[in-house]
Amino acid sequence: MPWKEPGKGDKDPWGSGDQPPDLDEVFRNMNERLKGLFGGGGRSDRPRKGGSGSGGILGIILVGLVLWAGFDSVHIIDEAEQGVVLRCAEYNRTLAPGINLTLPRPFESMIPVNVSSIRSLEDRGNMLTQDENLVEFIYKVQYRVASAQDFLFKVRDPETTVRQSAESALRESVGTNRLDAILEGVQRETIRIETQRVLQETLDRYQAGILISEFNLEDVNVPVAVREAYSDVIRAREDKERFIEEARVHANSVIPEARG
């Protein structure tokens, strides 16, 4: 139906004589209101207080600080981790897995530490046996964090501490065994068990917060520099045993004939 028909008067959908709203004017009014809310200038003729601009900036800063403090105070700690909380750069407490709250920085900070994953290192070294022979070991150490607090603060470099302690413990164990027994495998398992025990005792004494899961001997041999000489010694020893056995067989065959 047309809005205007002859004889029926004006049927303007916007009302009697009203015009549709001016969108530009609507946006201008909204913009001026927002500026007035945050302290900006506007076209309003109403008098404003002199501190409205600084008050708006201060409000924005306060809102930002509140949001930042809330975000910085909530910590989600994984099941494999522990959270070490520092208050004014000093240890305060250890957080369990889950959602935890702390004071925002700089009052408190949180350091997550994985206490479930198995860490490993591999090293080698030349050791002196009980009979004063050199033997080369390639060994592997597997460990995990037992105490997050001790792991972070009791030793400066945990991995270096484990490496040096393992070498020291292995030297102690090797020094009580002879080279032949080590190379032939007779004492290898004993050395492995003894080394792991001494290593754990050393780390406990240091309060390193580390638990040794496994200590394995990957390879055992004489050093390359003396390997050829040691091979000659082994061959000479085998020749000696062979000559002794041949002499024994010959004696067992000749002596009875001589007696007969």
Side-chain angles (χ1 to χ4, degrees), residues 122-181:
E122 187 172 306
D123 203 358
R124 66 172 62 205
N126 294 328
M127 317 289 176
L128 195 63
T129 63
Q130 185 181 31
D131 50 354
E132 299 182 353
N133 287 303
L134 281 177
V135 60
E136 183 181 52
F137 283 90
I138 299 177
Y139 55 91
K140 186 176 183 179
V141 183
Q142 294 181 330
Y143 65 96
R144 66 176 182 85
V145 178
S147 170
Q149 176 190 357
D150 293 342
F151 183 78
L152 289 176
F153 304 119
K154 294 298 184 180
V155 292
R156 178 173 298 178
D157 189 341
E159 182 173 336
T160 300
T161 301
V162 173
R163 189 184 304 274
Q164 294 177 349
S165 300
E167 181 179 355
S168 176
L170 183 57
R171 288 185 185 278
E172 179 178 336
S173 300
V174 172
T176 59
N177 291 273
R178 299 179 63 84
L179 178 62
D180 294 342

Side-chain angles (χ1 to χ4, degrees), residues 69 72-75 85 93 95 100-104 108-110:
D72 199 54
S73 298
V74 179
H75 306 277
V85 178
R93 64 190 182 277
L95 302 179
N100 295 271
L101 297 176
T102 65
L103 296 176
E108 288 186 346
S109 60
M110 194 274 294

